Amino acid sequence: MPFRIRTSKFRHVYGNPAKKEECYENVKITKSTHDSNFCAVNPKFLCVVPDTGGGGSFICLPLKQTGRVEFSVPRVCGHSGAVLDIKWSPFSDNIIASSSEDSTVKIWQIPDNLNKNLSEWQVDLHGHHRRVGYIEWHPTAENIILSAGFDHKCILWNVEQAEPISVISEHPDSIYSISWNTDGSLFCTTCKDKQIRVLDPRTGSVAMDCQGHDGNRSSKSVFVDNNRIFTCGMTRSSSRELAVWDIRKFSKSLFNNTIDTSNGILLPYYDRDNRVMYLAGKGDSNIRYYEIDDQSNCYFLNAFMSSYPQRSLGVMPKRGCDTSRCEVMRFYKLHSGKDVIEPISMIVPRKVSSQFHSDIYPNTSSMLPSLTADEWIAGQNREPVMVSMMDGHVTNCPKTTSSTAIQNQQNDIIHQVPTITTYKTVNKQGMPPRASTIDVPRRTDKRPASLQNLKRLSTNEDYVSYSAVSEASENHTNKNGMTNGHKEEKKVTKRGWSPVSPTKDAMTNGFTGSEPELQKAYFQQSEEIKSLKEQVKLKDKRIRQLEDELKILRTPSDCGPGQSDC
């Protein structure tokens, strides 16, 4: 049988480091031993966590401001502890999230011309009891973010309401990584107990789990698509290895391969459009890249070699790559020994690089969200909205109610400023409001969400949320002349406890199953009650914080007339 060589468009991809004048110099990179990226990039800004003497801050530079960075460069400061992770919103180039050792997650609005220190955040999320190590924005729904803390908990946040959606306490030890699948219906984690878990973010339960890498060092996981997971970690003999898993057959890995015997933690960076996985070891001076096929095999393509070790890498989104140079990926390398950030372009060699090559530039994720936060919480899932790399044409745009809404969505893509609403209004520079895909009733109460929660909890009211469909149907029946005595009972979803003691029918909820099924339903409701108690604890903590702030504001100043109270 003749010997066959596997063909690939990316077999000869090479790394092209930037020239010295295109690098960022004099950037004091943090010396924290945490294994996150400490760098976030988009087509507008480059953000990096510097080495600070106290408190927590990060630097946000315009992407074109290369060369020597002055020590007095404006910073984003507001955390009381060191910043551990930063992530740009996938739907806005001006919204960034940061997590810190002060157990909080903060959302920031970065102005285009940042000329002074920014200390006013847009949303402050409290809920973790220890430092927050990792954060990940939802890939398709806006205003949803996931955080993982060293209190062994994952918290799913609704940024629009500034409150948690669910608190997930399924990990017995430290969490090493979190990753969403393509449509955001599941996320996976790796843990210090060497287990790989796939969790349902809405219910907060473990959908499936299996034994991962046997080594004691940190392991990382990344969703390749909706059903496959790529992991990298250590073997029992301290060799670095990679593996591919299918969650439908999760008992054993589909592919497993040992890389080398180095001791640096591997950090994976996945190009979902071209199905190429880049691996950069912490402290290594090379970047390996592999191609993953439909049979879950990983084929080694090549490696970029350099003379200087890397601390970590920042990744430019695909929409920021230069198609005229056949650039398929761009990294921003944080040097370990030097105060330098070096851009590295991964380029496919082509004879005519000036024309557009559709075979290496398929449609990529756009800045238009597929779902709102309320739609996703209600149970909807959608694939990301894709955009052409050649002309910016949106392909699978979600259905809207009118042609005006479609035009508004196209304007959001052009201006690259999608809508995000919080209890502190994010400034929109002349942007029209986007129409929702369903007719959801508008809120009439304009008070901040935190104050509404404070009043609701203090009066011991039930916290119920009406589905948009049931409320719309009730309004329709009222218009048709239905009398008040014959109105149908509205369906509500309980998030609290009713002050009225439940009857026997209410306890069984109309369920007429066998004894094992009743026991199963009982234990499921017990888990839900446990999750609700966790949310109440978080709200109580927030109430105490608000009360302390009110006491400080109501305390009279001791300064005399004409004196400053600083």
Side-chain angles (χ1 to χ4, degrees):
M1 183 177 178
F3 179 73
R4 297 182 60 183
I5 298 177
R6 181 179 176 272
T7 60
S8 173
K9 299 187 293 289
F10 308 102
R11 184 175 181 83
H12 301 288
V13 170
Y14 65 94
N16 183 23
K19 299 178 182 178
K20 183 179 180 180
E21 56 268 17
E22 296 174 350
C23 298
Y24 304 84
E25 298 180 335
N26 195 34
V27 180
K28 305 292 183 180
I29 302 170
T30 179
K31 294 181 176 59
S32 173
T33 57
H34 185 58
D35 53 1
S36 67
N37 294 329
F38 294 110
C39 181
V41 192
N42 66 20
K44 277 188 178 181
F45 299 101
L46 166 69
C47 285
V48 63
V49 180
D51 187 22
T52 57
S57 63
F58 58 93
I59 297 173
C60 194
L61 299 171
L63 195 67
K64 298 181 180 179
Q65 187 178 326
T66 58
R68 183 179 176 84
V69 178
E70 298 296 333
F71 181 76
S72 59
V73 64
R75 301 193 179 196
V76 181
C77 47
H79 287 286
S80 58
V83 177
L84 297 179
D85 199 8
I86 49 177
K87 291 289 170 61
W88 285 106
S89 169
F91 309 121
S92 174
D93 283 343
N94 295 82
I95 303 296
I96 190 171
S98 61
S99 64
S100 170
E101 290 185 351
D102 63 2
S103 307
T104 66
V105 178
K106 288 180 170 57
I107 312 297
W108 310 83
Q109 167 99 12
I110 307 298
D112 291 336
N113 51 352
L114 183 64
N115 51 19
K116 62 179 181 179
N117 288 348
L118 179 64
S119 58
E120 182 178 359
W121 55 82
Q122 297 295 322
V123 182
D124 190 13
L125 304 175
H126 294 259
H128 287 282
H129 302 295
R130 295 183 64 185
R131 54 183 179 150
V132 185
Y134 306 97
I135 49 176
E136 284 290 340
W137 289 94
H138 194 279
T140 61
E142 61 179 345
N143 299 339
I144 300 291
I145 193 170
L146 177 68
S147 63
F150 283 80
D151 54 359
H152 311 162
K153 294 180 182 179
C154 293
I155 301 182
L156 191 67
W157 302 93
N158 185 347
V159 176
E160 185 176 359
Q161 300 295 331
E163 60 186 17
I165 300 171
S166 62
V167 180
I168 303 170
S169 304
E170 299 289 344
H171 299 83
D173 216 321
S174 299
I175 301 169
Y176 285 151
S177 67
I178 53 176
S179 175
W180 292 97
N181 66 346
T182 307
D183 61 3
S185 59
L186 299 170
F187 72 93
C188 66
T189 64
T190 53
C191 184
K192 193 175 181 179
D193 65 351
K194 305 176 185 178
Q195 291 285 318
I196 304 172
R197 293 176 175 84
V198 178
L199 300 105
D200 187 339
R202 297 184 180 94
T203 62
S205 59
V206 177
M208 56 208 72
D209 59 355
C210 73
Q211 179 71 23
H213 300 279
D214 295 329
N216 295 322
R217 300 294 300 277
S218 175
S219 60
K220 302 295 180 181
S221 63
V222 176
F223 255 110
V224 175
D225 50 32
N226 282 329
N227 297 316
R228 293 183 298 169
I229 299 174
F230 177 93
T231 62
C232 52
M234 295 281 188
T235 63
R236 194 183 301 273
S237 58
S238 298
S239 298
R240 297 194 295 190
E241 67 174 354
L242 56 88
V244 180
W245 312 75
D246 192 328
I247 62 176
R248 295 165 294 188
K249 297 175 287 186
F250 212 31
S251 58
K252 187 178 180 181
S253 61
L254 301 179
F255 178 86
N256 191 290
N257 185 31
T258 301
I259 301 176
D260 56 19
T261 57
S262 181
N263 60 356
I265 297 174
L266 289 172
L267 302 176
Y269 305 92
Y270 185 56
D271 181 1
R272 186 170 279 113
D273 301 329
N274 294 323
R275 299 192 298 183
V276 176
M277 179 66 70
Y278 298 85
L279 289 180
K282 185 178 178 182
D284 293 354
S285 57
N286 57 8
I287 302 174
R288 298 178 177 90
Y289 31 104
Y290 300 78
E291 188 171 10
I292 304 176
D293 63 2
D294 294 330
Q295 287 74 35
S296 301
N297 295 316
C298 288
Y299 296 98
F300 176 73
L301 296 175
N302 210 334
F304 167 76
M305 308 293 293
S306 65
S307 303
Y308 301 100
Q310 63 233 0
R311 172 67 179 81
S312 62
L313 301 176
V315 183
M316 171 67 73
K318 185 58 70 71
R319 54 188 170 83
C321 293
D322 189 358
T323 58
S324 63
R325 300 172 53 203
C326 294
E327 183 185 43
V328 293
M329 185 69 90
R330 190 190 309 165
F331 296 108
Y332 287 79
K333 177 179 176 179
L334 277 61
H335 285 252
S336 296
K338 301 189 299 181
D339 300 330
V340 175
I341 303 175
E342 178 186 24
I344 300 173
S345 298
M346 311 305 294
I347 297 176
V348 179
R350 292 291 172 93
K351 290 183 179 180
V352 182
S353 61
S354 58
Q355 68 182 18
F356 182 79
H357 298 270
S358 59
D359 59 332
I360 61 175
Y361 290 113
N363 293 338
T364 188
S365 298
S366 69
M367 295 185 64
L368 183 65
S370 303
L371 298 166
T372 63
D374 294 333
E375 290 172 347
W376 183 83
I377 295 171
Q380 298 187 40
N381 292 319
R382 284 188 192 146
E383 292 293 325
V385 178
M386 309 302 286
V387 62
S388 172
M389 291 284 290
M390 181 173 63
D391 53 6
H393 175 69
V394 177
T395 55
N396 58 338
C397 184
K399 294 182 180 180
T400 51
T401 56
S402 64
S403 60
T404 304
I406 295 177
Q407 184 62 37
N408 290 340
Q409 291 176 346
Q410 295 287 351
N411 291 338
D412 286 345
I413 291 293
I414 294 172
H415 292 276
Q416 296 185 351
V417 186
T419 304
I420 176 171
T421 56
T422 65
Y423 63 89
K424 284 187 179 180
T425 304
V426 177
N427 296 328
K428 296 293 169 189
Q429 293 137 359
M431 287 299 298
R434 185 191 311 155
S436 177
T437 56
I438 60 173
D439 188 12
V440 180
R442 294 183 177 272
R443 292 173 51 193
T444 57
D445 197 344
K446 302 297 183 181
R447 294 174 301 166
S450 56
L451 293 181
Q452 294 181 40
N453 295 338
L454 180 63
K455 180 180 179 182
R456 182 173 60 249
L457 292 174
S458 62
T459 56
N460 195 23
E461 297 177 357
D462 274 340
Y463 180 24
V464 297
S465 60
Y466 300 90
S467 64
V469 178
S470 62
E471 189 164 340
S473 62
E474 185 195 359
N475 293 336
H476 180 70
T477 55
N478 290 339
K479 291 181 181 178
N480 289 340
M482 181 179 289
T483 60
N484 294 332
H486 297 83
K487 287 184 180 179
E488 295 183 358
E489 184 179 358
K490 290 183 285 187
K491 295 181 180 180
V492 300
T493 303
K494 294 286 184 179
R495 287 190 185 174
W497 293 272
S498 173
V500 182
S501 59
T503 62
K504 182 178 180 180
D505 294 337
M507 292 176 65
T508 59
N509 200 17
F511 184 77
T512 58
S514 60
E515 185 68 23
E517 293 174 341
L518 285 172
Q519 290 180 358
K520 183 178 179 181
Y522 169 76
F523 285 116
Q524 288 179 349
Q525 292 199 1
S526 298
E527 291 294 328
E528 293 177 0
I529 292 174
K530 182 179 177 182
S531 177
L532 290 171
K533 288 181 179 179
E534 291 287 342
Q535 295 184 26
V536 170
K537 289 180 181 179
L538 295 179
K539 294 182 185 294
D540 289 340
K541 180 180 178 181
R542 185 59 179 161
I543 289 173
R544 290 192 294 269
Q545 291 174 350
L546 290 172
E547 290 176 347
D548 293 340
E549 293 176 1
L550 288 174
K551 288 179 181 179
I552 294 173
L553 292 174
R554 290 174 179 175
T555 302
S557 176
D558 297 332
C559 299
Q563 296 181 354
S564 173
D565 59 349
C566 296

